[in-house]
Amino acid sequence: MPSKKWRADPQRQPSGHIKDACCEYSDVNRINDQISPLLQDLVKTSFFRYYKVNLEKGCPFWKENHRCYSIDCAVATVDESEVAEQLKTVAISKADFSTAGDNGFGLFHRDCEFSENDFCVVEENDVRSEGVYVNLLLNPERFTGYAGESAARIWNALYKENCFPLDDSGSRQLTSDHQRSWDDTCTEKRVLYRLISGLHASISTHICDKYLDGKTGIWYRNLDCFLDRVGRFPERVENLYFTYAVLLRAVTKLSPYLKTYSWCAGVEGDKGKIKSLVRDIVKVTKSCPPAFDETQLFANSSSDAIKEEFKMHFRNISRIMDCDGCEKCRLWGKLQISGLGTALKILFSFGNKVSSYHLTRSELVALINGFARVSNSLSAVARFRAMTQQEALAAPLDAIDGKEKSDEWTQSTIVTSGTTQSADNGGPK
């Protein structure tokens, strides 16, 4: 294969302080090594694997044909009879910290798409709400083959429709030059951009980590896909770490109440397992200083107006997910945006007043699954980095120009499927 000029060295692991956060890249890697296995086990339990979602709301912004003809776009739903009653009743689907003090969760009910404290449209989880039950384990987030104008429109809308600048080529993520100019804007707007960019990088990483070879039907890790979408863009990897730091801080802030919650479960033995896993996760989160300082946002005289604008943008983002033409992409997009929105709600809507905390079961499921997804992405980045290093070692020396040894090498042959488009030109999901 012809040698490629690399814009950045994908072998390089980020180091130093994470901008806009309160920790270093090494801190996140260390914590994730401990917490990732716990999260992956937790999301397999009955409380966290069943999620009720409305996939038929329709796109509120443009006419969208929700038809992806790939079988991998389809979501496998489950009959309500499979879901334990205690997981879907009105009472247990709401969690309210206000009646519990320091002793755990109470109950909360919601009658609209979002309340004043919400940063996104919330998927309901009781028997009265519209939607279908999904076993998330049977619908893994991975490559679906969904591509083209419809796929590109989603991410363009997430950035462009929410006042994010594009470069001259219409790139949906900022180049380094535009990133530097974006760094000069107010913290709140920069944080919103970095969260969406980090989620974008995370989702792209999931797709490349579980990529389908259309000819052989084999799922594999597609290194070229990762490099084109994420690996060659250090700012995207950095934003992925930042998004992790924000989610970690939200879970840490919530941890005193998570460990005292009387978890309901639909499978015998799950309740004890959930308590044990949550206790271990809380122990890890409490072992490190805060990864993100939420008090630095919305702290000036115009903070109320900025906060409302921030909420409006994020609610808008959650609605855009209903425009995704791929059903499985729509499922995971809605869940992960809801997870981020729940994290923001924890950090910015209640302060430190326990009596004000209100979350639904759906929000808890989205928060933990969203955190697990970003956690898995960081692990996948490390795997891709190792693959890149192996490729570099295998490269023939005579294929490397002496003046560009640090920038370029000949890649050894790896299995690829079709054409891998970059994240900037509407690549497949």
Side-chain angles (χ1 to χ4, degrees), residues 213-240:
D213 186 321
K215 296 180 180 179
T216 66
I218 296 174
W219 294 92
Y220 71 105
R221 293 191 178 104
N222 189 328
L223 178 59
D224 279 349
C225 169
F226 172 75
L227 295 176
D228 288 343
R229 292 168 178 253
V230 180
R232 292 195 183 101
F233 304 88
E235 66 277 3
R236 298 180 187 179
V237 177
E238 291 162 8
N239 290 339
L240 171 59

Side-chain angles (χ1 to χ4, degrees), residues 191-199 242-243 246 310 314 340 344:
V191 163
L192 181 55
Y193 165 75
R194 297 196 69 189
L195 287 174
I196 300 306
S197 172
L199 179 61
F242 174 75
T243 301
V246 172
F310 193 108
F314 211 89
L340 268 182
L344 295 173

Side-chain angles (χ1 to χ4, degrees), residues 354-410:
V354 179
S355 61
S356 301
Y357 272 47
H358 295 80
L359 292 178
T360 68
R361 175 182 172 270
S362 180
E363 287 173 306
L364 286 173
V365 173
L367 173 66
I368 297 301
N369 273 278
F371 188 29
R373 291 279 74 208
V374 175
S375 170
N376 185 69
S377 291
L378 287 188
S379 299
V381 167
R383 291 193 292 268
F384 280 120
R385 185 180 296 118
M387 290 174 68
T388 302
Q389 292 169 349
Q390 292 173 0
E391 290 254 328
L393 292 174
L397 293 178
D398 58 1
I400 301 177
D401 189 311
K403 295 182 180 180
E404 298 182 335
K405 287 185 179 180
S406 64
D407 296 319
E408 161 175 82
W409 63 75
T410 298

Side-chain angles (χ1 to χ4, degrees), residues 21-22 27 52 106 178 246 250 256 261 269 279 284 359 370 391 412 429:
C22 301
D27 296 327
K52 189 172 186 179
H178 285 78
V246 172
Y261 179 42
R279 182 176 61 247
V284 174
L359 292 178
E391 290 254 328
S412 59
K429 292 187 176 182

Side-chain angles (χ1 to χ4, degrees), residues 3 65 91 129 139 181 199-200 239 290 295 317 330-331 368 409:
S3 60
N65 182 5
S129 62
N139 295 276
S181 65
L199 179 61
H200 190 177
N239 290 339
T295 64
I317 287 169
R330 192 154 68 248
L331 164 66
I368 297 301
W409 63 75

